[in-house]
Amino acid sequence: MKMTEAQFVLIREQLIRLKANGGFYADKLRDVDVARIQSQEDFETLPFTWKGDLREAYPLGLQAVPDEDIVRIHSSSGTTGTPVIIPYTAQDVEDWAEMFKRCYETAGVTKLDRIHVTPGYGLWTAGIGFQNGAERLGAMVIPMGPGNTDKQLRMMMDLRSTVLCATSSYALLLAEEIAKRGIGGQICLKKGIIGSERWGEKMRHRIASELGVKLYDIYGLTEIYGPGIGISCDYDCGMHMWDDYVFFEVVDPKTGKVLPDGQVGELVITTLRKQGAPLIRYRTHDLTRALPGDCPCGRPYPRIDTILGRTDDMVKVKGVNIFPSQIEEMLATVKGASSEYQLMIDHMNGRDICTLLVEANAEANKYLLEAEIGEAFKQKIGITVVVKPVDIGELPRSEKKSTRVFDNRY
Ligand code: ZN
């Protein structure tokens, strides 16, 4: 993504300030002469910031302003080990609400809407982010938080909620419950704003059709404000990112090299205005790509694709990055193939060999399927694989997220 002049000016001022003030970035950039950062190319030589760096700064090592300027902290859930604490100034809280208001507006939400907020409140950034943005917009917030399905549905009916804010899994649970109870006629929802995680087209379609709503993907992470730094529009072609607050790059997760627009890699974000805990080139581990060209909606904000997965799910074969959602997408276009597959990567006689096991639907001709999938894989993902169709039920099922890619090379 090309850095704009305005972004460059903000980043440069920020670098100079951070270096002068001491603390986290003065330390991290001690070998960098920030006065010599004169272009985007120079900026791309700056070191990345990793989640591990943020953990090491626990509890308040990231704080970049005096104590009297901090009004709140949030913390990332920290599935492993030490959590990350992000301090916010009053201006940060305000900027976040402003971005979130813009998200609602992009989704066509107005002050006449009633916004049902089911993400959690507390240390996590989700619930309060949805709430502050909605209040700034002037809509009525129903601050439910998660859980207690009976109460959720009752409030949804009695208060005539029109917008549901939820994770995809919770939205699906509510949709199924509404269908099961046969109360769809009493639900007034028109739109769903769904926290961006990787979710398949099938799930999206089920939520949208069972709830009778139009869905929007909202993006964000605790380290960078929280949800609300970008959202999809009516055209469903990626998410607009608020580039007056964040600068984003997409890099090769293995080499860190910045990738051209359109190529899939890891999203890296630099905050432009954040005061409490600014971040420079933060590695999000989210896989996406910058979408070239303009959106039909006419908004000037650049877009990234919906999140395609996490870098941890990715493998590199013959110089090509492969991740599970790409294979799922490819298989969805092949008629005789089910969604179940396994990809095996082996190293034999000095070469990487990929074998794709795919469950074939009962009526499919396995011989033709083999050729068709091989062709589709080559075309969409860019490498040659050995395709082995198997019968439905032959591949293992798991209640949890099952492993589909087996890298046997090391
Ligand atoms: Zn758009």
Side-chain angles (χ1 to χ4, degrees):
M1 191 54 45
K2 181 98 185 72
M3 189 185 278
T4 66
E5 184 59 30
Q7 287 176 324
F8 182 73
V9 168
L10 287 170
I11 286 173
R12 223 179 104 84
E13 281 171 4
Q14 170 164 269
L15 286 172
I16 291 167
R17 191 172 57 245
L18 288 174
K19 187 104 192 208
N21 287 356
F24 182 80
Y25 275 107
D27 211 32
K28 196 164 173 60
L29 302 176
R30 65 187 168 276
D31 299 328
V32 177
D33 179 3
V34 293
R36 295 185 60 169
I37 306 292
Q38 299 287 353
S39 65
Q40 179 165 3
E41 288 65 41
D42 297 340
F43 171 79
E44 287 170 4
T45 65
L46 292 176
F48 292 113
T49 305
W50 302 83
K51 185 127 182 181
D53 300 335
L54 274 49
R55 282 206 190 96
E56 270 172 40
Y58 180 87
L60 285 169
L62 281 178
Q63 187 178 316
V65 293
D67 283 354
E68 60 265 35
D69 293 334
I70 298 297
V71 298
R72 188 201 288 174
I73 62 110
H74 281 292
S75 169
S76 71
S77 43
T79 42
T80 49
T82 317
V84 169
I85 304 280
I86 305 289
Y88 294 65
T89 65
Q91 185 65 48
D92 293 337
V93 170
E94 197 156 310
D95 287 349
W96 182 21
E98 195 56 41
M99 280 188 277
F100 220 125
K101 173 180 171 234
R102 206 186 275 169
C103 289
Y104 284 123
E105 286 167 344
T106 304
V109 176
T110 73
K111 53 168 66 177
L112 286 172
D113 278 300
R114 296 179 174 186
I115 304 184
H116 196 98
V117 177
T118 69
Y121 284 76
L123 279 175
W124 201 30
T125 48
I128 199 167
F130 279 98
Q131 168 147 1
N132 284 351
E135 286 180 358
R136 179 158 289 236
L137 179 71
M140 184 174 93
V141 176
I142 307 162
M144 298 298 300
N148 198 341
T149 307
D150 283 337
K151 196 166 181 183
Q152 296 278 4
L153 296 179
R154 168 146 197 213
M155 295 290 245
M156 204 177 271
M157 289 188 288
D158 293 348
L159 289 165
R160 308 175 71 80
S161 311
T162 59
V163 177
L164 173 67
C165 303
T167 60
S168 56
S169 44
Y170 199 55
L172 181 64
L173 185 147
L174 289 173
E176 286 175 338
E177 208 52 44
I178 288 166
K180 202 158 85 191
R181 298 181 189 199
I183 53 173
Q186 298 163 68
I187 300 291
C188 305
L189 293 174
K190 290 185 297 194
K191 293 168 196 286
I193 297 187
I194 307 298
S196 179
E197 49 189 311
R198 214 190 97 221
W199 49 318
E201 265 320 297
K202 274 190 185 145
M203 187 172 183
R204 168 183 284 275
H205 188 73
R206 258 181 85 195
I207 297 171
S209 62
E210 300 222 340
L211 290 177
V213 297
K214 164 96 181 139
L215 295 176
Y216 299 84
D217 278 299
I218 193 162
Y219 183 71
L221 55 167
T222 301
E223 296 89 322
I224 317 266
Y225 296 100
I229 62 172
I231 194 170
S232 62
C233 67
D234 284 341
Y235 290 87
D236 268 336
C237 48
M239 300 182 283
H240 288 281
M241 296 283 278
W242 311 137
D243 67 341
D244 44 350
Y245 291 93
V246 292
F247 171 68
F248 66 89
E249 304 165 87
V250 175
V251 306
D252 183 310
K254 293 264 157 66
T255 65
K257 215 175 131 278
V258 177
L259 297 171
D261 290 358
Q263 280 192 29
V264 172
E266 179 176 349
L267 184 66
V268 171
I269 299 180
T270 296
T271 61
L272 301 176
R273 298 170 187 276
K274 211 148 182 277
Q275 299 173 334
L279 289 178
I280 310 289
R281 306 198 84 204
Y282 182 64
R283 301 282 295 245
T284 65
H285 289 308
D286 284 328
L287 286 170
T288 185
R289 57 188 157 174
L291 295 176
D294 296 324
C295 182
C297 78
R299 285 185 180 80
Y301 300 103
R303 290 167 301 146
I304 56 170
D305 208 340
T306 44
I307 301 307
L308 302 163
R310 300 275 297 164
T311 50
D312 334 325
D313 303 333
M314 198 187 75
V315 285
K316 193 164 189 164
V317 182
K318 300 172 191 168
V320 175
N321 293 325
I322 304 177
F323 42 94
S325 65
Q326 263 181 316
I327 301 177
E328 281 157 33
E329 249 173 59
M330 181 274 295
L331 288 176
T333 65
V334 179
K335 217 172 152 213
S338 88
S339 58
E340 295 303 309
Y341 71 90
Q342 279 186 354
L343 182 70
M344 305 286 183
I345 307 154
D346 297 283
H347 194 73
M348 282 189 287
N349 305 325
R351 292 172 56 212
D352 288 340
I353 310 277
C354 290
T355 310
L356 185 71
L357 302 165
V358 187
E359 289 187 0
N361 294 330
E363 73 284 359
N365 175 329
K366 283 189 187 150
Y367 181 71
L368 292 177
L369 194 63
E370 193 181 313
E372 197 184 340
I373 293 174
E375 185 56 35
F377 203 102
K378 174 94 190 127
Q379 227 178 55
K380 300 224 163 91
I381 299 164
I383 62 164
T384 304
V385 290
V386 179
V387 180
K388 293 200 172 148
V390 298
D391 289 332
I392 290 278
E394 271 195 57
L395 297 177
R397 301 285 192 272
S398 153
E399 282 188 12
K400 282 184 282 172
K401 199 176 131 199
S402 41
T403 309
R404 295 170 183 281
V405 177
F406 297 86
D407 195 344
N408 308 316
R409 288 175 294 182
Y410 311 105

